Amino acid sequence: MKEHKGAMLAIKIVAAVFLLTPLVVMFIYSLADRWISILPEGFTISYYISILTNPAFLMGIVRGIIISAIPVIITNISVLLALYVVMVYLPDMEKVVQIFCLIPTTINGIIVATSVLSMYAGSGTILANRIVMLACIYCVFVMPVTYQGIRNSLYAVNMKGLLEAAEMLGYRKFHSYVTVIIPSILPGLAASALMGFAALFGDFAIIKIIASSQFETAQAFLYRNRAADTQELSASVVILLLITLGINYAVHKSQNKQKESREK
């Protein structure tokens, strides 16, 4: 038994070293003043100062946050309303809704982006706008994780039982759903929203096809400047990794709160 645990620990250590070594080297390189031999020649934070004072990079981060947050908000509201109708009034349709919400997991993002662009570009409708087009595609791709997270949270709090109890006390179902059910699933709602946000914030392929020239995010900025100063580019990658790490930490904390609320 001890040998088995020791072997598993060794495998985990090897995997951790393999995955973390490129990140550690990139972080050291972003701080290196000059690195043309085995060891760097001095360290500096000038590359971080330069990239953090670059308006194009900062605006790319802001655009990435906006274009990731709006689809997440729209999708969460839509799924909350759809699940209320289905679980309360049309329980037989729940399987159908589940299938439709999980279909995007089987679709390649590049194929969808290319198809949507060829269909709606130049159509003269609001969907011809590249930003609207991008937001709609993101809504579709964030749907599976949003649906699954909200659905699991609703079943965990026994939504039907709570609504029936509230109805016996004289409250309307929708009012109880908004004032009782949704606040009780906030940790799960936050976790699924943050997971969707992290996935969209790190996207490059879809936005490159749809709107990289009109709406440059931080990932598009990195691609455009890939042949520029490599140390400054490494510093920008480290900053984006830290932002993503912060989002993942927030997801982890939200999931812990959800587990604690279930245990209580």
Side-chain angles (χ1 to χ4, degrees):
M1 192 67 180
K2 291 182 178 179
E3 293 179 357
H4 179 70
K5 289 183 178 179
M8 289 302 296
L9 180 62
I11 292 173
K12 290 179 180 179
I13 292 173
V14 171
V17 171
F18 178 78
L19 294 173
L20 292 176
T21 297
L23 300 179
V24 173
V25 172
M26 183 173 59
F27 175 68
I28 296 173
Y29 185 69
S30 68
L31 292 171
D33 188 23
R34 224 170 140 236
W35 197 348
I36 57 175
S37 58
I38 297 177
L39 297 175
E41 301 174 5
F43 295 94
T44 179
I45 61 170
S46 61
Y47 298 108
Y48 282 91
I49 295 173
S50 176
I51 197 65
L52 288 173
T53 54
N54 188 331
F57 178 71
L58 296 179
M59 285 304 301
I61 294 177
V62 172
R63 292 190 192 101
I65 292 172
I66 292 172
I67 201 61
S68 301
I70 291 175
V72 168
I73 294 170
I74 293 173
T75 306
N76 273 270
I77 294 173
S78 302
V79 172
L80 281 169
L81 294 175
L83 283 178
Y84 168 75
V85 174
V86 170
M87 295 178 72
V88 175
Y89 299 106
L90 302 169
D92 294 337
M93 293 294 293
E94 186 178 352
K95 290 293 183 183
V96 178
V97 172
Q98 184 178 24
I99 291 172
F100 277 105
C101 287
L102 296 180
I103 283 177
T105 59
T106 65
I107 304 175
N108 183 277
I110 297 176
I111 294 175
V112 172
T114 306
S115 303
V116 170
L117 185 64
S118 62
M119 177 173 288
Y120 293 106
S123 63
T125 64
I126 190 174
L127 294 176
N129 184 290
R130 297 298 182 96
I131 311 304
V132 174
M133 200 185 298
L134 181 64
C136 291
I137 294 174
Y138 277 174
C139 285
V140 172
F141 273 92
V142 82
M143 183 74 72
V145 65
T146 302
Y147 170 81
Q148 203 62 43
I150 294 176
R151 179 180 178 274
N152 292 342
S153 298
L154 290 175
Y155 274 104
V157 300
N158 189 14
M159 185 192 91
K160 292 182 179 179
L162 289 176
L163 290 180
E164 289 173 359
E167 195 173 14
M168 291 175 63
L169 295 173
Y171 291 94
R172 293 183 178 180
K173 286 183 178 180
F174 186 73
H175 179 265
S176 303
Y177 182 72
V178 174
T179 59
V180 177
I181 303 300
I182 292 179
S184 66
I185 65 169
L186 279 181
L189 192 63
S192 61
L194 287 169
M195 282 191 288
F197 179 86
L200 297 182
F201 184 77
D203 170 67
F204 169 72
I206 295 176
I207 199 169
K208 177 69 172 63
I209 295 171
I210 298 295
S212 63
S213 59
Q214 300 179 12
F215 200 77
E216 185 181 72
T217 60
Q219 285 75 20
F221 171 84
L222 293 180
Y223 179 80
R224 181 169 61 83
N225 294 277
R226 63 191 183 279
D229 193 326
T230 52
Q231 282 146 303
E232 187 173 317
L233 201 64
S234 297
S236 59
V237 172
V238 171
I239 293 170
L240 292 177
L241 285 175
L242 290 175
I243 294 173
T244 307
L245 182 63
I247 297 171
N248 290 330
Y249 177 75
V251 172
H252 179 71
K253 294 294 289 185
S254 299
Q255 289 175 337
N256 286 343
K257 288 181 180 179
Q258 187 179 17
K259 290 180 182 177
E260 291 173 3
S261 62
R262 286 179 182 177
E263 291 174 358
K264 291 179 180 180

